[in-house]
Amino acid sequence: MSLDRFYPIFDHSDWLRRMLPLGVKLVQLRVKDQPDAVHEQITLSRDLCRQHGAVLVVNDYWQAAIEAGCDWIHLGQEDLDDADLQAIRKAGLKLGVSTHDDDELERVLAMDPDYVALGPVFPTILKKMKWHQQGLPRVTEWKARVGDIPLVGIGGMSVERAPGVLQAGADIVSVVTDITLNTDPEARVRQWIEATR
């Protein structure tokens, strides 16, 4: 199964309720700082994605994703330290992982991931990171190293930058604030879909 090239990340099922009807086919739910809401948010998001024929990727909460019968999980490097990869695989979950440098990439490739995310490609305002922007040449280099594994470019993404990232070798472009901070998020999603399909 091939993944859509447009991969928005949202922190609440309300975003999915708004954006999935526009044609979003791959989406990540990244629930932060509200542990009590995790199970409800995952269940609601799972149902919305099934209703709209979209792929849901659950960030971090792999146990809850297994319990909810989800298909995909995304783990950051720090999440990998605590995650039970054997349980994740046994449950049939597909695995996407964040990488930022050579050591992390080598670590992740040994896990046989279903996609590898590289970031930040451009400077990002989303979270404070110890890594500087990777740049487009790094996307090309990473793609050569991961081969057939889908490569996700993330960090500082915009509709205007997406074509260059895809041309550099990324299979998928992931985005957060270019949509969530936009004055018209729906219109921006339509622009993203147009730019990536």
Side-chain angles (χ1 to χ4, degrees), residues 30-161:
R30 183 192 277 167
V31 180
K32 294 289 180 192
D33 308 320
Q34 38 184 341
D36 297 341
V38 167
H39 287 277
E40 179 190 23
Q41 283 300 307
I42 290 174
T43 303
L44 284 168
S45 298
R46 176 203 66 198
D47 293 348
L48 285 165
C49 284
R50 286 179 181 166
Q51 183 185 332
H52 291 279
V55 173
L56 173 67
V57 181
V58 176
N59 182 284
D60 192 7
Y61 292 99
W62 58 271
Q63 295 107 319
I66 290 172
E67 287 166 26
C70 294
D71 300 315
W72 280 84
I73 184 80
H74 178 93
L75 297 176
Q77 288 290 318
E78 57 287 344
D79 304 322
L80 286 172
D81 297 331
D82 305 319
D84 184 341
L85 292 179
Q86 205 172 349
I88 289 168
R89 291 303 193 188
K90 189 176 174 190
L93 277 176
K94 294 187 182 304
L95 175 66
V97 190
S98 298
T99 61
H100 311 87
D101 61 33
D102 291 327
D103 291 341
E104 291 181 358
L105 180 61
E106 289 306 316
R107 177 189 187 194
V108 166
L109 288 177
M111 299 170 184
D112 192 26
D114 296 287
Y115 75 67
V116 171
L118 168 66
V121 176
F122 300 106
T124 178
I125 59 170
L126 184 63
K127 52 184 176 182
K128 191 83 177 133
M129 291 188 138
K130 62 181 180 183
W131 298 278
H132 297 295
Q133 71 182 64
Q134 305 279 1
L136 296 180
R138 186 70 165 233
V139 173
T140 305
E141 177 200 332
W142 238 239
K143 184 57 190 171
R145 292 175 66 182
V146 302
D148 292 337
I149 301 168
L151 179 65
V152 178
I154 187 170
M157 291 299 164
S158 66
V159 169
E160 295 75 20
R161 287 173 167 169

Side-chain angles (χ1 to χ4, degrees), residues 7-32:
Y7 184 18
I9 297 175
F10 298 116
D11 62 3
H12 198 279
S13 59
D14 286 350
W15 278 105
L16 277 71
R17 195 170 280 110
R18 288 170 64 183
M19 300 305 167
L20 289 171
L22 303 178
V24 170
K25 291 300 172 192
L26 172 63
V27 65
Q28 184 181 125
L29 177 69
R30 183 192 277 167
V31 180
K32 294 289 180 192

